Amino acid sequence: MDLPATDVELKSEKFEDVKDVGPSFHCDLFDTEIVHKIAQVFLPGLATACVDNTTGDIFKSPALVAVDLRKEMVDYLTQRSETFVAESVMLVGGLDPESSDHPYDIISDFVDDFASSKRNLFSRVSGWLLSEKREDKIDDFFQEMELTQFWLMDRREAVAQTMLKNVDFRNTFHCKMKFNTAEELADHVHECGFKPMNCTNEGCKASFCAAHMEKHDSVCPLKILPCEQKCSDNIMRREMDRHCITVCPMKLVNCPFYPIGCQSAIPTCMIEQHRSDNLHSHLLYILQVNHKEASVEDLKQRMEQLEMSSSPGQLTDAQDVRSLTFIVKDLEAKLGPLGVNVTNKVSEESTEASILIEHEPEEAES
């Protein structure tokens, strides 16, 4: 027996009443980075569909079918996203454990499926799908659509927003909050983690949701930072490496006297101070090269003579091994030959003689 129409209407009204119960103001904020990333896959997918759909057809070109295929693509993706949760989670019994549940991966698969469905007979039976010419033609048509602004990014993002909310069943990339009044919703928007924000670093045009602000700030290439080597300059993050290895006054360099023995690594700005503080050791290195047979004591005496005979600043102003060597040679030419400590010399000779006598074989007795 059929139910009276009034009963049906009453049930419908009761159902509507039930639907109306509860929060009716939804927060529509989402992760802007994911939306932008999803929107970027639409144009290459459309280019692929247009090229494969017209391959071998002398009466059609990718540009002639682009408008119609764009509409078909949006309808297809929207329908697939609307039924995704029901088909994958409720009806099938759960997502395939090997498949990704990330919205970007899910929607990318939808785009690939649409492009595959638009291949014409020639594309399917020939080796076209594996040819380099196909890839070049798809890339060329993709570039053409970008240059002519065939499908603007903001419109693609509007489509991506709808699909994101449909497939993001874990509510990871969009806000799921609902409120009873518009005032409550307005208060929430100011604190929502998906609130859109722009980078505050000068010159950076990046946009992201509030929850990602710290993440972006930690990698923003245009953020101004103190020098990593502790100099007084503030440098853009993207210029930091170049600064540290080229012009930074705190860049570590080898001592100018490294070739003759000084192993110190010092900041560029401290080289002059290092030369002044280590003049004695640098002089000793020079003298050891010039007088290889002299003892350390003899060289130290010579060093004192050089310091006494030099003019103020003459030795400390030497920039490197070559300049200090020239100064030392000029001063030594005025001082005369290096004097050798006689006592040490006689002592060394006596020691050598005694060693020889001890080891000399005895004469045979007659």
Side-chain angles (χ1 to χ4, degrees), residues 273-290:
Q273 183 65 42
H274 172 79
R275 286 199 306 261
S276 177
D277 294 343
N278 294 271
L279 176 61
H280 285 183
S281 60
H282 295 162
L283 271 175
L284 186 60
Y285 290 137
I286 296 290
L287 291 173
Q288 285 174 332
V289 172
N290 294 345

PDB file of all heavy atoms in Angstrom, residues 273-290:
ATOM      1  N   GLN A 273      96.972  41.688  12.573  1.00  0.00           N
ATOM      2  CA  GLN A 273      97.267  41.472  13.984  1.00  0.00           C
ATOM      3  C   GLN A 273      98.087  40.199  14.176  1.00  0.00           C
ATOM      4  O   GLN A 273      99.024  40.152  14.992  1.00  0.00           O
ATOM      5  CB  GLN A 273      95.951  41.362  14.765  1.00  0.00           C
ATOM      6  CG  GLN A 273      96.121  41.217  16.272  1.00  0.00           C
ATOM      7  CD  GLN A 273      96.755  42.459  16.907  1.00  0.00           C
ATOM      8  OE1 GLN A 273      96.389  43.582  16.538  1.00  0.00           O
ATOM      9  NE2 GLN A 273      97.700  42.259  17.813  1.00  0.00           N
ATOM     10  N   HIS A 274      97.757  39.169  13.424  1.00  0.00           N
ATOM     11  CA  HIS A 274      98.505  37.910  13.517  1.00  0.00           C
ATOM     12  C   HIS A 274      99.959  38.103  13.095  1.00  0.00           C
ATOM     13  O   HIS A 274     100.875  37.581  13.757  1.00  0.00           O
ATOM     14  CB  HIS A 274      97.837  36.848  12.636  1.00  0.00           C
ATOM     15  CG  HIS A 274      98.626  35.577  12.518  1.00  0.00           C
ATOM     16  ND1 HIS A 274      98.637  34.614  13.502  1.00  0.00           N
ATOM     17  CD2 HIS A 274      99.445  35.128  11.524  1.00  0.00           C
ATOM     18  CE1 HIS A 274      99.416  33.611  13.129  1.00  0.00           C
ATOM     19  NE2 HIS A 274      99.904  33.905  11.924  1.00  0.00           N
ATOM     20  N   ARG A 275     100.196  38.839  12.019  1.00  0.00           N
ATOM     21  CA  ARG A 275     101.577  39.083  11.569  1.00  0.00           C
ATOM     22  C   ARG A 275     102.370  39.820  12.639  1.00  0.00           C
ATOM     23  O   ARG A 275     103.540  39.512  12.896  1.00  0.00           O
ATOM     24  CB  ARG A 275     101.577  39.897  10.265  1.00  0.00           C
ATOM     25  CG  ARG A 275     101.157  39.106   9.043  1.00  0.00           C
ATOM     26  CD  ARG A 275     101.626  39.820   7.771  1.00  0.00           C
ATOM     27  NE  ARG A 275     101.163  41.204   7.724  1.00  0.00           N
ATOM     28  CZ  ARG A 275     100.110  41.623   7.056  1.00  0.00           C
ATOM     29  NH1 ARG A 275      99.385  40.758   6.373  1.00  0.00           N
ATOM     30  NH2 ARG A 275      99.769  42.889   7.054  1.00  0.00           N
ATOM     31  N   SER A 276     101.724  40.796  13.256  1.00  0.00           N
ATOM     32  CA  SER A 276     102.413  41.566  14.293  1.00  0.00           C
ATOM     33  C   SER A 276     102.705  40.711  15.525  1.00  0.00           C
ATOM     34  O   SER A 276     103.812  40.739  16.068  1.00  0.00           O
ATOM     35  CB  SER A 276     101.563  42.777  14.685  1.00  0.00           C
ATOM     36  OG  SER A 276     102.158  43.505  15.736  1.00  0.00           O
ATOM     37  N   ASP A 277     101.723  39.931  15.959  1.00  0.00           N
ATOM     38  CA  ASP A 277     101.884  39.115  17.162  1.00  0.00           C
ATOM     39  C   ASP A 277     102.875  37.977  16.965  1.00  0.00           C
ATOM     40  O   ASP A 277     103.472  37.495  17.936  1.00  0.00           O
ATOM     41  CB  ASP A 277     100.534  38.544  17.610  1.00  0.00           C
ATOM     42  CG  ASP A 277      99.566  39.617  18.077  1.00  0.00           C
ATOM     43  OD1 ASP A 277     100.028  40.742  18.357  1.00  0.00           O
ATOM     44  OD2 ASP A 277      98.348  39.331  18.152  1.00  0.00           O
ATOM     45  N   ASN A 278     103.034  37.519  15.738  1.00  0.00           N
ATOM     46  CA  ASN A 278     103.872  36.345  15.479  1.00  0.00           C
ATOM     47  C   ASN A 278     105.097  36.678  14.640  1.00  0.00           C
ATOM     48  O   ASN A 278     105.635  35.810  13.951  1.00  0.00           O
ATOM     49  CB  ASN A 278     103.036  35.265  14.780  1.00  0.00           C
ATOM     50  CG  ASN A 278     101.939  34.720  15.665  1.00  0.00           C
ATOM     51  OD1 ASN A 278     102.137  33.769  16.408  1.00  0.00           O
ATOM     52  ND2 ASN A 278     100.764  35.334  15.587  1.00  0.00           N
ATOM     53  N   LEU A 279     105.559  37.927  14.736  1.00  0.00           N
ATOM     54  CA  LEU A 279     106.721  38.342  13.946  1.00  0.00           C
ATOM     55  C   LEU A 279     107.943  37.481  14.239  1.00  0.00           C
ATOM     56  O   LEU A 279     108.661  37.066  13.326  1.00  0.00           O
ATOM     57  CB  LEU A 279     107.038  39.822  14.217  1.00  0.00           C
ATOM     58  CG  LEU A 279     108.299  40.363  13.528  1.00  0.00           C
ATOM     59  CD1 LEU A 279     108.175  40.254  12.012  1.00  0.00           C
ATOM     60  CD2 LEU A 279     108.561  41.808  13.960  1.00  0.00           C
ATOM     61  N   HIS A 280     108.193  37.185  15.520  1.00  0.00           N
ATOM     62  CA  HIS A 280     109.385  36.421  15.884  1.00  0.00           C
ATOM     63  C   HIS A 280     109.382  35.045  15.223  1.00  0.00           C
ATOM     64  O   HIS A 280     110.394  34.606  14.666  1.00  0.00           O
ATOM     65  CB  HIS A 280     109.482  36.272  17.402  1.00  0.00           C
ATOM     66  CG  HIS A 280     109.912  37.535  18.081  1.00  0.00           C
ATOM     67  ND1 HIS A 280     110.125  37.625  19.432  1.00  0.00           N
ATOM     68  CD2 HIS A 280     110.161  38.781  17.600  1.00  0.00           C
ATOM     69  CE1 HIS A 280     110.484  38.853  19.758  1.00  0.00           C
ATOM     70  NE2 HIS A 280     110.506  39.571  18.651  1.00  0.00           N
ATOM     71  N   SER A 281     108.241  34.337  15.306  1.00  0.00           N
ATOM     72  CA  SER A 281     108.198  32.997  14.718  1.00  0.00           C
ATOM     73  C   SER A 281     108.322  33.053  13.199  1.00  0.00           C
ATOM     74  O   SER A 281     108.966  32.201  12.586  1.00  0.00           O
ATOM     75  CB  SER A 281     106.901  32.279  15.117  1.00  0.00           C
ATOM     76  OG  SER A 281     105.763  33.000  14.674  1.00  0.00           O
ATOM     77  N   HIS A 282     107.744  34.080  12.568  1.00  0.00           N
ATOM     78  CA  HIS A 282     107.857  34.210  11.115  1.00  0.00           C
ATOM     79  C   HIS A 282     109.294  34.523  10.706  1.00  0.00           C
ATOM     80  O   HIS A 282     109.799  33.980   9.707  1.00  0.00           O
ATOM     81  CB  HIS A 282     106.907  35.304  10.603  1.00  0.00           C
ATOM     82  CG  HIS A 282     105.459  34.984  10.795  1.00  0.00           C
ATOM     83  ND1 HIS A 282     104.482  35.949  10.757  1.00  0.00           N
ATOM     84  CD2 HIS A 282     104.822  33.807  11.051  1.00  0.00           C
ATOM     85  CE1 HIS A 282     103.304  35.380  10.960  1.00  0.00           C
ATOM     86  NE2 HIS A 282     103.489  34.088  11.153  1.00  0.00           N
ATOM     87  N   LEU A 283     109.963  35.372  11.485  1.00  0.00           N
ATOM     88  CA  LEU A 283     111.376  35.657  11.207  1.00  0.00           C
ATOM     89  C   LEU A 283     112.221  34.398  11.345  1.00  0.00           C
ATOM     90  O   LEU A 283     113.124  34.138  10.534  1.00  0.00           O
ATOM     91  CB  LEU A 283     111.891  36.734  12.173  1.00  0.00           C
ATOM     92  CG  LEU A 283     111.732  38.195  11.757  1.00  0.00           C
ATOM     93  CD1 LEU A 283     112.185  39.112  12.886  1.00  0.00           C
ATOM     94  CD2 LEU A 283     112.510  38.504  10.485  1.00  0.00           C
ATOM     95  N   LEU A 284     111.907  33.618  12.362  1.00  0.00           N
ATOM     96  CA  LEU A 284     112.674  32.393  12.585  1.00  0.00           C
ATOM     97  C   LEU A 284     112.497  31.429  11.418  1.00  0.00           C
ATOM     98  O   LEU A 284     113.467  30.786  10.981  1.00  0.00           O
ATOM     99  CB  LEU A 284     112.221  31.733  13.894  1.00  0.00           C
ATOM    100  CG  LEU A 284     113.026  30.516  14.351  1.00  0.00           C
ATOM    101  CD1 LEU A 284     114.491  30.883  14.565  1.00  0.00           C
ATOM    102  CD2 LEU A 284     112.448  29.932  15.635  1.00  0.00           C
ATOM    103  N   TYR A 285     111.286  31.341  10.892  1.00  0.00           N
ATOM    104  CA  TYR A 285     111.058  30.474   9.724  1.00  0.00           C
ATOM    105  C   TYR A 285     111.918  30.937   8.546  1.00  0.00           C
ATOM    106  O   TYR A 285     112.519  30.129   7.834  1.00  0.00           O
ATOM    107  CB  TYR A 285     109.578  30.499   9.324  1.00  0.00           C
ATOM    108  CG  TYR A 285     108.645  29.816  10.288  1.00  0.00           C
ATOM    109  CD1 TYR A 285     107.414  30.399  10.630  1.00  0.00           C
ATOM    110  CD2 TYR A 285     108.963  28.587  10.866  1.00  0.00           C
ATOM    111  CE1 TYR A 285     106.539  29.785  11.514  1.00  0.00           C
ATOM    112  CE2 TYR A 285     108.090  27.969  11.754  1.00  0.00           C
ATOM    113  CZ  TYR A 285     106.892  28.573  12.077  1.00  0.00           C
ATOM    114  OH  TYR A 285     106.030  27.961  12.952  1.00  0.00           O
ATOM    115  N   ILE A 286     111.974  32.274   8.327  1.00  0.00           N
ATOM    116  CA  ILE A 286     112.764  32.818   7.211  1.00  0.00           C
ATOM    117  C   ILE A 286     114.242  32.498   7.398  1.00  0.00           C
ATOM    118  O   ILE A 286     114.935  32.055   6.466  1.00  0.00           O
ATOM    119  CB  ILE A 286     112.568  34.347   7.091  1.00  0.00           C
ATOM    120  CG1 ILE A 286     111.112  34.696   6.746  1.00  0.00           C
ATOM    121  CG2 ILE A 286     113.537  34.947   6.060  1.00  0.00           C
ATOM    122  CD1 ILE A 286     110.700  34.328   5.360  1.00  0.00           C
ATOM    123  N   LEU A 287     114.755  32.730   8.593  1.00  0.00           N
ATOM    124  CA  LEU A 287     116.180  32.496   8.874  1.00  0.00           C
ATOM    125  C   LEU A 287     116.533  31.012   8.773  1.00  0.00           C
ATOM    126  O   LEU A 287     117.637  30.666   8.340  1.00  0.00           O
ATOM    127  CB  LEU A 287     116.531  33.037  10.256  1.00  0.00           C
ATOM    128  CG  LEU A 287     116.490  34.567  10.382  1.00  0.00           C
ATOM    129  CD1 LEU A 287     116.679  34.989  11.835  1.00  0.00           C
ATOM    130  CD2 LEU A 287     117.540  35.225   9.490  1.00  0.00           C
ATOM    131  N   GLN A 288     115.623  30.132   9.161  1.00  0.00           N
ATOM    132  CA  GLN A 288     115.892  28.701   9.046  1.00  0.00           C
ATOM    133  C   GLN A 288     116.040  28.285   7.585  1.00  0.00           C
ATOM    134  O   GLN A 288     116.816  27.387   7.268  1.00  0.00           O
ATOM    135  CB  GLN A 288     114.767  27.907   9.716  1.00  0.00           C
ATOM    136  CG  GLN A 288     114.826  27.920  11.236  1.00  0.00           C
ATOM    137  CD  GLN A 288     113.632  27.241  11.884  1.00  0.00           C
ATOM    138  OE1 GLN A 288     112.539  27.206  11.315  1.00  0.00           O
ATOM    139  NE2 GLN A 288     113.832  26.704  13.081  1.00  0.00           N
ATOM    140  N   VAL A 289     115.264  28.936   6.711  1.00  0.00           N
ATOM    141  CA  VAL A 289     115.384  28.644   5.282  1.00  0.00           C
ATOM    142  C   VAL A 289     116.712  29.178   4.734  1.00  0.00           C
ATOM    143  O   VAL A 289     117.391  28.524   3.941  1.00  0.00           O
ATOM    144  CB  VAL A 289     114.199  29.264   4.505  1.00  0.00           C
ATOM    145  CG1 VAL A 289     114.414  29.134   2.996  1.00  0.00           C
ATOM    146  CG2 VAL A 289     112.895  28.606   4.920  1.00  0.00           C
ATOM    147  N   ASN A 290     117.115  30.395   5.189  1.00  0.00           N
ATOM    148  CA  ASN A 290     118.338  31.028   4.681  1.00  0.00           C
ATOM    149  C   ASN A 290     119.608  30.415   5.254  1.00  0.00           C
ATOM    150  O   ASN A 290     120.659  30.435   4.612  1.00  0.00           O
ATOM    151  CB  ASN A 290     118.313  32.525   4.982  1.00  0.00           C
ATOM    152  CG  ASN A 290     117.225  33.254   4.220  1.00  0.00           C
ATOM    153  OD1 ASN A 290     116.674  32.716   3.262  1.00  0.00           O
ATOM    154  ND2 ASN A 290     116.903  34.478   4.652  1.00  0.00           N
TER     155      ASN A 290
END
